């Protein structure tokens, strides 16, 4: 994660940023990136680190990281390429830009020939990455249960009979949980004399929805001032875990 100290790497990056901000063609792409394409991107460096692995195996990727990589490949990078399309250049222009950068003295801004821009090579790199990750899209769609994600990350049950049985069991449990949620929401709406939708069912971030862990799911009242009313609620096993600005858990 250390920044580069090589001028030959730093200067082209600064040229690209300057060109993007100055936007000589008046495309408005900087605003489009800031307000759109870049907002949906995950921490790519951290995600790449997961897949690179380490000696201790403590940062191995999980199904959640595989899903995040899928979103990057299928949505994030294509959106970025589309946003940068106004700066797209042909192969000859990209080669000219590279030659200008290589021939420029270290630390000196390169002079780009007509038809070439500092963003040409960066865009080409993003296009190449998008193409390289096409296989990942097919892999994830073949392996991951996309109907359950992102609420639950699991392998498709069709890979094994035991997984099929486990998947059916999980589906039944999830249906039961949704029924309990509906009952709780209806009871709370009746108690407060207001409409439904005030009780949210959420995955406990500490257990990630694990059925094996106590409290895999939790309810949240969207109004943090409802704590006093909640304590008069007659229900077995109902506990207030914490009260935050975004509601009562």
């Amino acid at each position: 994660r250390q920044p580069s100290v090589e001028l030959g790497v730093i200067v082209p990056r600064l040229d690209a940023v300057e060109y993007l901000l100055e936007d000589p063609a008046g495309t408005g792409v900087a605003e489009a990136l800031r307000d759109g394409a870049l907002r949906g991107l995950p921490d790519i460096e951290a995600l790449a680190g997961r897949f690179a692995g380490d000696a201790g195996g403590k940062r191995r990727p999980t199904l959640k990281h595989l899903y995040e990589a899928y979103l990057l490949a299928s949505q994030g990078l294509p959106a970025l390429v589309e946003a940068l399309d106004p700066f797209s250049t042909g192969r000859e222009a990209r080669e000219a830009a590279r030659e200008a950068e290589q021939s420029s003295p270290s630390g000196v801004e390169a002079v780009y020939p007509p038809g070439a821009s500092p963003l040409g090579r960066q865009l080409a790199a993003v296009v190449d990455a998008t193409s390289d990750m096409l296989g990942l899209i097919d892999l994830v769609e073949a392996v991951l249960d996309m109907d359950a994600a992102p609420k639950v990350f699991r392998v498709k049950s069709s890979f094994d009979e035991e997984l099929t049985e486990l998947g059916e069991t999980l589906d039944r449990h999830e249906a039961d949980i949704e029924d309990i949620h509906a009952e709780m929401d209806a009871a709370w709406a009746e108690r407060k004399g207001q409409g439904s939708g005030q009780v949210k069912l959420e995955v406990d971030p500490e257990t990630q929805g694990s059925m094996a862990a106590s409290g895999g799911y939790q309810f949240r009242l969207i109004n943090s001032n409802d704590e006093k009313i909640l304590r008069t609620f007659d229900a077995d096993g109902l506990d207030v875990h914490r009260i935050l600005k975004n509601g009562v858990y």
Side-chain angles (χ1 to χ4, degrees):
R1 284 180 169 269
Q2 296 297 323
S4 176
V5 295
E6 298 293 333
L7 283 177
V9 174
I10 296 173
V11 172
R13 290 178 179 175
L14 294 178
D15 288 345
V17 172
E18 182 182 26
Y19 188 86
L20 183 65
L21 293 177
E22 290 182 351
D23 194 8
T27 61
V29 69
E31 291 76 11
L33 287 171
R34 184 171 55 247
D35 299 335
L38 292 180
R39 283 183 176 273
L41 291 181
D43 186 338
I44 298 177
E45 190 173 7
L47 188 59
R50 285 282 183 175
F51 286 93
D54 58 24
K58 296 180 180 180
R59 290 179 54 81
R60 290 181 297 178
T62 64
L63 292 179
K64 176 178 179 291
H65 297 117
L66 191 62
Y67 181 74
E68 290 177 350
Y70 168 81
L71 293 181
L72 175 64
S74 62
Q75 300 177 24
L77 290 181
L80 186 58
V81 170
E82 182 178 356
L84 290 173
D85 184 66
F87 296 101
S88 179
T89 57
R91 179 178 179 181
E92 293 183 0
R94 290 196 298 270
E95 291 296 327
R98 184 178 66 176
E99 291 177 4
E101 291 166 3
Q102 292 177 343
S103 62
S104 178
S106 178
V108 178
E109 184 176 359
V111 178
Y112 295 90
S117 80
L119 285 176
R121 290 182 62 198
Q122 282 75 10
L123 176 57
V126 176
V127 172
D128 289 343
T130 304
S131 177
D132 292 341
M133 295 184 73
L134 289 177
L136 175 68
I137 298 175
D138 294 335
L139 171 66
V140 174
E141 290 180 345
V143 173
L144 205 61
D145 187 343
M146 302 301 290
D147 293 332
K151 185 177 181 180
V152 177
F153 299 104
R154 65 191 185 199
V155 176
K156 280 186 176 179
S157 59
S158 57
F159 277 93
D160 186 274
E161 288 187 5
E162 293 184 1
L163 285 176
T164 300
E165 295 177 1
L166 180 60
E168 292 173 351
T169 301
L170 286 173
D171 289 339
R172 288 195 297 271
H173 282 309
E174 289 176 6
D176 291 341
I177 291 172
E178 291 294 347
D179 288 342
I180 295 172
H181 176 212
E183 292 176 6
M184 179 65 76
D185 190 43
W188 185 252
E190 182 178 354
R191 174 63 61 93
K192 286 203 67 178
Q194 297 180 0
S196 61
Q198 299 180 68
V199 180
K200 303 299 182 181
L201 175 65
E202 300 174 348
V203 173
D204 187 337
E206 296 181 0
T207 61
Q208 293 297 311
S210 171
M211 291 295 184
S214 176
Y217 291 86
Q218 60 188 1
F219 292 121
R220 176 174 65 89
L221 297 178
I222 59 177
N223 189 340
S224 59
N225 296 321
D226 286 340
E227 183 262 343
K228 291 183 179 179
I229 301 177
L230 181 63
R231 293 195 182 279
T232 66
F233 205 83
D234 184 18
D236 294 334
L238 180 63
D239 298 311
V240 175
H241 294 283
R242 57 187 181 275
I243 303 173
L244 301 176
K245 290 183 179 180
N246 66 338
V248 182
Y249 291 83

